[in-house]
Each structure stands twice: as structure tokens, then as C-alpha cells.
Amino acid sequence: MNLSGLIHFFLFPGILFAVPAGWFYMWGERKAVARMQRRIGLPLLQPFYDFVKLLGKRTPSRHGIEADLLRLWPALSVLSMLGAIAMLPVFHDGKGFSGDAVLLVAFLEMPSICFILAGFTSGSIYGEIGAIREAILSVANNLVFLLSIVTIAVTENTFRLSDLSGGTWNPGHWIGVFGILLCIPAKLRLNPFSTSSAEQEIYSGPLTEYAGAALAMWELAHGLEWVALTGFVTTLVVPAGGPWWFHAIAFFVVSFIQVMLLSTVAAATARFTLQRAIRFYWQWAAILAVLVICSTIYMRVR
Amino acid sequence: MNLLDRLMHRCRRKSPFLFHLNTGSCNGCDIELITCLSPRYDVEQLGIHLEGSPRHADILCITGPVTRNTLEAVKTVYAQVCEPKVVVALGSCPASCNVFAGSPVIEGPLSKHIPVDVYVPGCPPHPDAIIEGIARAAQILADRGVSEKAKGVPQK
Ligand code: SF4
């Protein structure tokens, strides 16, 4: 492993940056919603307070394979998110953990899969309902997500992450970015796609039985998901070239703009039913599918 | 208190998660509790968050005079909230059974069944009073965490 790989994993955009940034984005989202509802909203350190407090709770002792699995799922989510963040080509210099978009997609998909498995492992009826909802939603939005990435890959003619990143003026690239942006609310379980973790209807779904440190890990994974998903879009839109500090600042600023955008959508919408969410995504999937096919044909005849 | 304990004390006080349990209330108190979350009162400023699952909660807010049907639920939910925890009785009903006292289907008051830490009297109590009650409960929660550790209660 090279030195810049370690820097990417531990310093920037890895653990040292991503954990506080995740908390900051979660704060930003809740604060923005509060301000839009004319409330004052939560203090800046609230996500940190919640995290530490959860670490101090005494949880019921469970035994056997189920207990280990329940602890494994949030840990796996955190690790896969850290992997995804370390892979992001923030500086567009080809250093760090270079990989291709397929690996990144696999990493980004892990929290959702772990979320589903956690619901089934917990044995709670609400957990299972939430897990089923998440599974269906995940199928619906992943179709759009994957097609968006394929759209970008086809227009750039590569799957290498460092070549995909950096905004180009290709229309296919921007349609792909738009498609990815459409999927982020569902991946983060924000309104209007929050059916799988609905607090009022199914008692937080798969996380119903979680408490204490394991729940804190889920919160952490959620914060890291914010960083990874908005960061992925940022690397796709910020043009390559320029000094490293420009990219570092742009990574933070552009991601935060997306956080504000997503919170506006979350504050302005109510929770969709599952059917409506699926219909929404599959309509976009159809449009994107047509575009991918057209651009592939165009690339071939060119 | 060492630094870590002080941090935990502060975090517990600043981040009370509530679980609301209705034990046969007339809905007056429930409406007043939900009012606290509205833009006018905005309890999110104090880090207060209404949770969907008792497992996530620190403070159990109970309304209603504890009817026979809900008694088992009260005990189960109380057991499901992880330690350290605090119970807040909202309204006059859980404190004294209020207008329902003497009814054959009422098993109240609440303190006969589970330990209650804070009473917020009123029929229904004013949202300001509820917020004060919850803030006090958060302080009790934080102090309890420290005192339990000092007494050597196992922390896992
Ligand atoms: S205290 Fe009054 S308002 Fe509250 S539940 Fe009892 S009767 Fe209803």
C-alpha cells in the first residue's frame, strides 16, 4: 500500500475528515429542515452528543450467532463506507486507492444490504417489514443508479473512477450525474423515500431492536454515507486540474451544497408510499435506459 | 469526575431521546407533548428527539392513568428502555388517576408499577411545563449515569 493510499484512508477524505464531516452534514440537514420550518433547530454538536451518549448506554445482553450478526452489520456498513470514501478521486491525480466504479458501487451498496439483513436478523416484525421495504426500494433506485453510472461510463468510454471524475461538457455525463442525484434521497432514506425507516409507522424499521453502541455505529455509518454519496457526485462535477487545496475545499463546499439541496427536498415532501417510489424510479430508469442505448450506438458509429 | 465521565455527563444531558407511551390517556396530554415539537416550542434546541422505538430512548414519557389493558405494555416498554433511563409522568392521570380514580379498569397510579422520576402535573400540562420536566429528567439522567458508575454498577 502506498503512502497516499494511507493518507486517503486515514486523513483526507478518510476517517479524520469523513467522521466529523458526516456529523456536520447530518447537522446541516436537520438544521436546514428546522430553519425551513421556522424553528431554531439543534446545536452544532448534536450528532456528536448523540453518538457519545449512545456509546454509554447499557444494552441487553444477547448471546449466540444472532448477537454477533447484529453487531457485524453496522460495523460492516462503517467499514465499507470508509472504503468507498477512501476510493473517491478527490484530487484527480490518480493517487490513493485507485479502483473502478464497479467496486465503488459495491461499497456504496453495502449499508443498504446490511440494513436489510439487520432487519431480518433482529427477528422483530417491524424490522422485517422495514427490511422488505428497503429491499424493494433498493431494487427500484439501484436500477437508476447503475444506469446513471453506465451512462457516464459510456460517454467517457471507461469505468476507471479517476477517468470518470472531473466534469466534462459531455451531455451524457451530466444526465448521469442528475440520475445519481435522484437516487441519493432513497439511498440515504430521506423524505420522500423514508418508508423503510419510518419512525411512526414501523418503529424505525430494521433498527427497532438496536440500542447503545451498535445504534451509534449505524448513526456513524449514516453520516459516512452522506459523505460518500455527496462526495461521489462532487468528484464527478468538479473539473480536474488546479491545486490540491482547491479540490479539498471544493469537495467540502460542493458536498454541502448537495446536503442543502437534499434537505430542501426532504422538508418539502411527505413520505411516498412504496408503489409511488417505485413508479418514480422506474420512470426515470426508462428514460435513462433509452439514453444509454442511444449514446452507446452513437459511440459505436462515431 | 474524570474527563471522560464529564463528557458523558454532558452528552447525556444534551441528547435526551424520548419514547412516548399512552396508557389510556384522553389524548389531551399527548397533544400537548407533540406541541412541544412544533415550531413554536421547538424542543430540538435542547437535543430532544422523539424516537420510534423504546430501545433507542433515554426518557420514557407516560401519559394516561394506566388502564388494565395497558399495564403489561407499560412494564414491557419500561424493561425495553436501556439503562440509564428516566421516567416522566405527564399530566395528572399517571400521578393520581385524576378523574378516572375509582374506576374498576384503572390500575394506576403509575408509581405502583414502575419508578417515576419526574411528575409534570396539569390536566393537560402546559407545553412549557412539559419542556421543563423533560429538561429536568435529562439532568437526572446525566447525574444517574455518573452515580451508577461511582456505585460500581457494571457498565456493559
Ligand atoms: S391529565 Fe387530563 S388531559 Fe392528560 S390524559 Fe389525563 S385527563 Fe387527559
Side-chain angles (χ1 to χ4, degrees), chain A residues 151-212:
Chain A
T151 312
I152 299 172
V154 165
T155 45
E156 309 289 352
N157 218 356
T158 173
F159 258 113
R160 277 194 70 78
L161 216 47
S162 47
D163 299 335
L164 288 185
S165 64
T168 54
W169 293 115
N170 221 323
H173 186 96
W174 292 94
I175 291 167
V177 170
F178 181 68
I180 293 172
L181 269 176
L182 279 182
C183 296
I184 292 183
K187 292 204 171 290
L188 289 171
R189 296 182 281 282
L190 291 178
N191 263 355
F193 304 106
S194 53
T195 39
S196 57
S197 58
E199 307 87 7
Q200 293 89 352
E201 304 148 26
I202 53 170
Y203 302 105
S204 311
L207 304 189
T208 305
E209 285 297 323
Y210 273 93

Side-chain angles (χ1 to χ4, degrees), chain A residues 30-31 33-35 37-43 45-46 48-62 198-200 202-204 207-213 215 219, chain B residues 7-8 10-12 14-17 19 37-40 42 44-59 80-85 141 145 148 153-156:
Chain A
R30 281 173 67 186
K31 185 80 174 178
V33 172
R35 295 307 298 164
Q37 295 173 344
R38 293 192 155 200
R39 292 189 283 122
I40 292 173
L42 66 173
L45 290 179
Q46 191 62 46
F48 170 73
Y49 291 146
D50 293 349
F51 181 78
V52 175
K53 180 211 69 180
L54 284 173
L55 289 183
K57 294 289 274 184
R58 295 204 292 282
T59 50
S61 55
R62 286 199 176 86
E199 307 87 7
Q200 293 89 352
I202 53 170
Y203 302 105
S204 311
L207 304 189
T208 305
E209 285 297 323
Y210 273 93
L215 186 63
E219 289 290 316
Chain B
L7 176 71
M8 189 59 86
R10 187 179 170 79
C11 291
R12 282 194 177 122
K14 291 267 187 181
S15 149
F17 286 4
F19 183 76
L37 306 172
S38 67
R40 190 175 187 95
D42 187 23
E44 205 184 16
Q45 285 175 60
L46 303 177
I48 296 170
H49 196 253
L50 199 61
E51 281 292 330
S53 163
R55 285 252 190 257
H56 305 179
D58 307 294
I59 298 179
Q80 280 173 339
V81 179
C82 299
E83 299 279 354
K85 61 185 163 195
L141 180 82
E148 278 179 355
V153 178
Q155 296 294 302
K156 273 282 156 211

